Amino acid sequence: MNKLENFVEGRWIQGDGDGQILCDAVTGQTIASATTQGLDFKAMIDYAHTVGNPNLRKLTFHERGRMLRALAMHLKNHLDKFYALSYKTGATKADSWIDIEGGIGNLFSYASLRKKFNDEVFAVDGESLNLSKNNTFMGHHILVPKEGVAIHINAFNFPVWGMLEKVAVNWLAGVPAIVKPATITSFLTEAVVKEIIASNILPEGALQLLCGNVGDLLDHVTSQDVITFTGSKSTALKLKKHDRILNESVPFNMEADSLNCIVLGDDVTPQHAEWDIFVKEIRKEMTVKAGQKCTAIRRIFVPENKMEDVWKSLNQSLSQTVIGNPLNDKVRMGSLVGKSQREEVKQQVQKLLASSQIIFGSLDSVEVVDADSNKGAFLSPLLLMNEKPFASTAVHETEAFGPVSTIMPYKNLDEAIALSKMGRGSLCSSIVTTRDKIAKEYVLGAGTHHGRILVLNKECAKESTGHGSPLPMLVHGGPGRAGGGEEMGGVRGVKHYMQRVAVQGSPTTITNITNIYQQYATGIESDVHPFKKYFEELNIGDQIITQKRTITSEDIDRFADLSGDHFYAHIKTTNFDGTMFEQQVAHGYFIMSVAAGLFVDSYEKNPVLLNYGIDELRFTKPVYPGTEIYIRFTCKEKLPSDNRIINKPEDFKRGDDIEKGIVKWLVEMVDETGEQVGITTILTMVAKNRSVI
Ligand code: NAP
């Protein structure tokens, strides 16, 4: 029999013994066995610490991001192989798309996220802080990659996405991973890891894989490691209480059971488009992945006078779901991942039935297409009704991890909010309403108990990504029962794998550490104007102090006429009693324009390709006629920019062939007393290579 391999210390090896038998969820046939018996788990952690971690942390964010993009492109070439295996987990083509291409999409998203970071091995976090009167002492925060390994213990439902959504984040942060997928569907994860390793895109040690149990791995974790867990609450609690994890303060991110809910606003009637949107969303959540989604809707709250209409619409919609062999094009819902899981779901439904009744589907029989319902792990969608949701706790606590959802009545929005909170913390809640006032009240009232809230109406429904889809750039996680963890969330997720360090020192020192010019740091003066330098030649801190220019009343009049901005403060005949100003004041935008006139030096072509924009602009002191202005202009930050990938000649745009980077400049506008009248950061695009101009 095919025995799955583990990828350990840079080698593919099989564990000892027969291992756990893994079956095709649709046909029941044996596929492979999986075991990690006999592996040296301590050595895996040591290897990740001493090989994988140093290899990744020495790469810059941009190098790591480009690595993710290359990997995503590589995996896209092997989709057929992954889909073929995914069908054996009971997943339909649409389910598999979410798992496989959704996972690869995560790699692409985190590849692009590199642009939010400087091209450094570390990241700078948030705003700097001036800590002194004379501007010689300040504080900032930086993030450095942890020196450990990310250990991902995953659930069975998304063997590909579950891995890729997590490793994309730790790799971008500069940390390697040990992935332990749920054993039952690990044959698909193994196939993807085989392709990842074969691509040779990752540095040595960036990834190890366990197809089977984790042995004594957790006995060897350190405070520099991060554990993420997705699965049942009971396993999560067992692991979270592990002595080593407690003693070493190992960060433990937990995603556990979640009783997600949807609310129908009492404004919505069957005549509204939102009625069908509500019904469609529920059917999708019950049938996609056969309801085996951590975010699936388990509780449906409906105004009590609309209960009957809603369940009739739902019954009609659910009855159209074709269940069966995922290889058949007509099939819309496949099987659960295995018979053991089906038994587990049935047991959970039995608990729910103590206070609810089935109003659609059957626990004992299901009609399937192109398959044998006895051999495959098929289950009919089950819609339950609970008429007294405040009187029973089971419906808010019992997660049947399959195509199961319960409909319940509420009297008013306060009740709907209270019911949604009875799940004691969920990953996601939705509300369908035509009225944003209702949406706002729900979001503010229920927000404490849900990691994400989707507000659906006809305006957004068509393009909505849906209740059940966690997105790479939004936080995925929820409070309380959902585990209290957070995954992804763009830059937020990357920070989970980095140590934040508050750094204090002089502005010059902090400039040299962060490679970002800090106001009041010593600048670097030179005879060459910085606009004459190519991207590579520019130094952080390159600075010019410009000539002075006197602002006159005529200047202000002319700017008012040219721009059409005749705001009363800029008009010299205004009576300034009771205003913020003493007399005619210059337009802030005029001062900004004067600044450009002072720091831009030449009529000739130079390496600056274009002005790219302004990040922040503040006018800090009124400028009256007679004021003398000069500019301190400093190279603040350099951001490399990749050339666009051009697939077709017609996509080519002028300038695509020029190698370039973005340069940020600090523009301090100062008057003759030395006081700042304005400050901004401007961005220019600067050519990299002399030969292109
Ligand atoms: P599980 O039994 O808790 O397993 C989850 C993972 O933990 C699997 O990889 C499993 O490996 C591993 N595991 C089990 N016991 C372990 C131990 N003693 N030490 C180390 N690892 C251990 O959960 P499941 O039944 O596979 O998953 C279904 C549940 O997951 C559902 O009830 C659902 O609530 C939850 N879930 C939650 C989310 C979320 O994001 N909140 C997402 C998906 C699923 P083996 O497979 O080798 O046992």
Side-chain angles (χ1 to χ4, degrees), residues 9 11 15 41 79 103 151 174 264-265 272 275 331 339 348 370 373 380 491 497 515 534 539 558 598 619-620 666:
E9 295 182 76
R11 288 179 305 129
F41 298 95
L79 294 179
I151 297 173
L264 179 69
H272 286 109
W275 185 273
V331 166
K339 286 187 186 161
Q348 295 294 85
D370 231 358
S373 64
S380 132
V491 172
Y497 299 98
N515 240 350
Y534 286 86
N539 301 299
R558 288 213 309 271
L598 290 168
F619 305 124
T620 48
L666 184 69

Side-chain angles (χ1 to χ4, degrees), residues 202-223:
L202 298 182
E204 190 189 343
L207 178 62
Q208 298 182 78
L209 173 74
L210 287 172
C211 295
N213 69 53
V214 293
D216 66 355
L217 187 79
L218 301 185
D219 292 344
H220 309 291
V221 291
T222 73
S223 60

